[in-house]
Amino acid sequence: MDTIPRTMEVLVCTHNRVELLERAISHLNQAIRPDGFAVTVFVVANACSDDTVEFLSQYVERGADATRLPLKWIEEPKPGKSNALNTAIQVLTAPVVAMVDDDHRVDTDFFVAIHRTLAEFPDADFYCGRILPDWTGDEPPWIHDDGKYKIYPLPVPQFDLGDMPMPVTSDIAHPGGGNLVIKTRLFSSVGLFSNDYGPVGHNLEGAEDMHWVIRAYRLGARLQYSPIVKQYHYVDTNRLKIAYVMKKAYTRSCSTVRLNRNTEEYFLFPRYLIRKGVEYLARSLFNVSTTARRFYLVRLAAVLGEIKGFILIKRDKASADDR
């Protein structure tokens, strides 16, 4: 059984979103810190060309105090979140790292909740909590529709396994990287994040975190869900549009297929996807309900993403066989 760690680093990777980064760090500074539990913020500026470096330099120059967490930062000039993560992992010094995205707002009790979770579940190797949309009330009504035509995936990430703590296995969930608290010794066995799946810039093709979690599961790593560890995801109103939701459904379905499906039995992809695609296209063209059309357009995009995922797996396998 592990002893309760006394230090933790909060890892934030950022690319040209200095205003969101300032917001994220502000809320980290506002979070309550348990006595005897030292927290440091560690930021990786990934190929930033805005004012991120200037902001981080000024923060360090001002120094830490009772209201400001100590902060370390480095630059990773090679674009790609996996590159940023992997550079940071090799220089982390604390026994625990909490991964927080630059568009997240941590709960006021975030550090208290992590400290408590580490004490209550010392045998776990890594942990996940809740990520909830930081709704403002200005979002369109269809975002909250929970009926027959509920849109998924939501344009704002959400992860919630309920009110009770529970061990999480591969058949339950694969939490994203911005929702993980990891004992850093786990990196020595699981390894680094894959560049084959990680996003570059702000595209939607990131699945490097799911890929890492899957590898951790396969090695027998124990993941614990703790609902008291909460973060809130920034709601970008520009994403609350059908075109963005379709793009997200397309890219995320592609990533999910690449990570989780065995395609040996298919020539390129399952034929039922053609049937589903035709059905969703027809329903989106001829349905009189705007709500229904929106739903079927998103489902159509997801099917096309699945098809692409199956094709990419065949391509990846062919490339591997040629090596």
Side-chain angles (χ1 to χ4, degrees), residues 237-251:
T237 55
N238 291 323
R239 297 183 176 186
L240 306 184
K241 299 174 181 176
I242 188 63
Y244 179 90
V245 180
M246 290 178 65
K247 182 178 180 181
K248 182 172 182 178
Y250 175 79
T251 55

Side-chain angles (χ1 to χ4, degrees), residues 57-109:
S57 298
Q58 292 177 353
Y59 186 105
V60 172
E61 288 176 7
R62 288 178 59 192
D65 56 34
T67 62
R68 288 162 51 87
L69 290 164
L71 183 146
K72 302 184 293 186
W73 67 278
I74 56 176
E75 288 188 82
E76 172 47 64
K78 189 174 181 180
K81 187 176 181 181
S82 291
N83 293 317
L85 287 168
N86 293 339
T87 297
I89 286 168
Q90 298 175 70
V91 292
L92 293 172
T93 58
V96 174
V97 57
M99 300 174 69
V100 174
D101 285 347
D102 62 2
D103 52 1
H104 284 189
R105 170 176 69 86
V106 300
D107 187 75
T108 303
D109 289 328

Side-chain angles (χ1 to χ4, degrees), residues 81-287:
K81 187 176 181 181
S82 291
N83 293 317
L85 287 168
N86 293 339
T87 297
I89 286 168
Q90 298 175 70
V91 292
L92 293 172
T93 58
V96 174
V97 57
M99 300 174 69
V100 174
D101 285 347
D102 62 2
D103 52 1
H104 284 189
R105 170 176 69 86
V106 300
D107 187 75
T108 303
D109 289 328
F110 183 67
F111 299 137
V112 174
I114 290 176
H115 187 261
R116 176 178 162 185
T117 298
L118 291 169
E120 291 184 354
F121 306 100
D123 293 331
D125 301 296
F126 60 142
Y127 307 82
C128 62
R130 283 172 160 158
I131 293 183
L132 305 171
D134 208 358
W135 300 122
T136 64
D138 297 325
E139 57 275 0
W142 61 265
I143 290 292
H144 301 293
D145 188 349
D146 199 33
K148 178 180 178 181
Y149 297 116
K150 176 182 178 180
I151 295 295
Y152 62 94
L154 277 175
V156 183
Q158 182 172 350
F159 186 91
D160 189 352
L161 297 181
D163 296 332
M164 299 300 295
M166 61 184 292
V168 185
T169 56
S170 183
D171 59 335
I172 295 175
H174 300 86
N179 187 24
L180 293 177
V181 177
I182 304 171
K183 292 178 178 176
T184 49
R185 57 174 168 72
L186 191 57
F187 291 117
S188 63
S189 55
V190 180
L192 301 178
F193 289 83
S194 172
N195 279 302
D196 292 336
Y197 297 98
V200 176
H202 298 142
N203 67 34
L204 298 176
E205 297 182 1
E208 81 295 333
D209 42 11
M210 288 178 58
H211 182 257
W212 191 91
V213 170
I214 289 171
R215 286 157 46 207
Y217 280 143
R218 289 172 179 168
L219 290 173
R222 293 159 295 184
L223 175 62
Q224 176 67 41
Y225 170 69
S226 178
I228 61 174
V229 179
K230 290 182 288 188
Q231 300 186 54
Y232 300 88
H233 196 290
Y234 173 72
V235 176
D236 184 350
T237 55
N238 291 323
R239 297 183 176 186
L240 306 184
K241 299 174 181 176
I242 188 63
Y244 179 90
V245 180
M246 290 178 65
K247 182 178 180 181
K248 182 172 182 178
Y250 175 79
T251 55
R252 294 303 166 89
S253 294
C254 176
S255 297
T256 300
V257 166
R258 288 185 71 194
L259 288 172
N260 296 319
R261 298 289 181 88
N262 183 345
T263 62
E264 292 298 327
E265 60 187 286
Y266 308 118
F267 173 64
L268 281 178
F269 53 84
R271 286 184 293 178
Y272 71 82
L273 290 176
I274 298 177
R275 175 184 55 78
K276 287 174 63 176
V278 171
E279 176 188 348
Y280 292 151
L281 176 61
R283 289 179 180 270
S284 65
L285 290 175
F286 301 113
N287 208 302

Side-chain angles (χ1 to χ4, degrees), residues 19-31 33 41 55 59 67-69 71 104-106 111:
E19 291 183 358
L20 285 176
L21 177 64
E22 289 186 50
R23 175 181 178 271
I25 292 177
S26 174
H27 285 286
L28 286 168
N29 284 331
Q30 294 173 43
R33 309 171 208 172
V41 180
F55 162 70
Y59 186 105
T67 62
R68 288 162 51 87
L69 290 164
L71 183 146
H104 284 189
R105 170 176 69 86
V106 300
F111 299 137

